[in-house]
Amino acid sequence: MVKKHQRDVSGIEDQIISMYAKGMTARNIQDHLHNIYGIEASPTLISNITDKLLPVIREWQNRPLQEIYTVIFLDAIHYKVRVEGQVVNKAAYMVIGVDLKGKKDVLGIWIGEHESAKFWLNVLNELRNRGVTDILIMSVDNLTGISDAIAACFPETEIQKCIVHQIRNSTRYVSYKDLKQFSLLLI
């Protein structure tokens, strides 16, 4: 990154953005820059550099979508984050769509406190507002109320329960000692 005898470190912004994109916090980036390159950068400077991405992110989040998707997959990823010194659960709502040409695209990612049909209803309304008029098939988990949320926004959409979630839910009732043998039956 910094060559021998180099005094200009103008490419440091790209490196900071890269580290931020990989999940490093401003303090981690600050420590890394100091330990590896001897560069003093305040967390405020790092935040100012990463904040330059916000307009690009907002543009991506609000881009117009296609009118029709053959399949859309809805799912949430649950993870723990530290907020003000406490560890809390968060859910990243993911929407992946397959268009009429078979091209897969991430339509959006939203962060919520926990997965709920009410939040999914807001996500589906946002998809409609961004131009989606019809979805042929929607693949979802077995979340209570999700079918009603989908029907409210896209009443003609066929709902398919995700096979992975169905298998996971069915193995919940199998004794652990029998799980391996039961799973072989499913294949």
Side-chain angles (χ1 to χ4, degrees):
M1 184 167 116
V2 180
K3 296 179 177 86
K4 204 174 202 180
H5 306 296
Q6 179 181 352
R7 297 193 187 282
D8 178 24
V9 290
S10 57
I12 198 73
E13 284 188 11
D14 293 336
Q15 293 299 320
I16 289 172
I17 289 171
S18 175
M19 288 184 274
Y20 183 73
K22 291 178 180 165
M24 292 179 71
T25 65
R27 298 271 184 209
N28 293 137
I29 294 170
Q30 177 188 26
D31 292 342
H32 182 74
L33 292 174
H34 179 71
N35 292 337
I36 303 297
Y37 306 110
I39 297 172
E40 295 291 335
S42 69
T44 304
L45 172 68
I46 294 167
S47 292
N48 290 339
I49 291 170
T50 57
D51 284 349
K52 291 178 183 180
L53 295 173
L54 292 177
V56 176
I57 293 168
R58 283 191 197 100
E59 182 182 328
W60 179 82
Q61 288 174 328
N62 297 315
R63 75 192 186 285
L65 300 174
Q66 295 184 29
E67 287 185 30
I68 300 173
Y69 286 91
T70 57
V71 180
I72 285 188
F73 300 92
L74 302 180
D75 205 2
I77 300 168
H78 302 274
Y79 58 97
K80 296 184 183 299
V81 294
R82 186 175 306 277
V83 177
E84 297 177 8
Q86 292 188 341
V87 176
V88 296
N89 292 322
K90 293 280 185 176
Y93 293 80
M94 305 280 297
V95 178
I96 299 172
V98 179
D99 66 15
L100 294 172
K101 295 179 182 176
K103 183 180 177 224
K104 207 182 318 183
D105 189 17
V106 175
L107 306 183
I109 303 170
W110 296 262
I111 305 297
E113 294 300 316
H114 51 81
E115 188 174 13
S116 71
K118 183 178 178 183
F119 195 95
W120 276 121
L121 179 61
N122 291 333
V123 168
L124 294 169
N125 278 320
E126 184 176 325
L127 294 178
R128 247 192 0 198
N129 292 338
R130 289 171 56 199
V132 178
T133 59
D134 193 17
I135 301 165
L136 303 180
I137 300 170
M138 196 164 308
S139 178
V140 297
D141 58 11
N142 205 16
L143 181 69
T144 305
I146 190 73
S147 297
D148 295 333
I150 294 167
C153 292
F154 300 100
E156 300 297 316
T157 299
E158 291 288 327
I159 299 170
Q160 176 184 340
K161 302 296 181 182
C162 173
I163 190 71
V164 173
H165 286 89
Q166 288 180 19
I167 291 171
R168 189 181 310 143
N169 289 339
S170 65
T171 60
R172 187 179 301 166
Y173 303 104
V174 177
S175 169
Y176 181 77
K177 66 180 177 132
D178 299 326
L179 188 58
K180 187 174 183 179
Q181 184 177 0
F182 177 78
S183 298
L184 290 173
L185 296 171
L186 297 173
I187 296 175

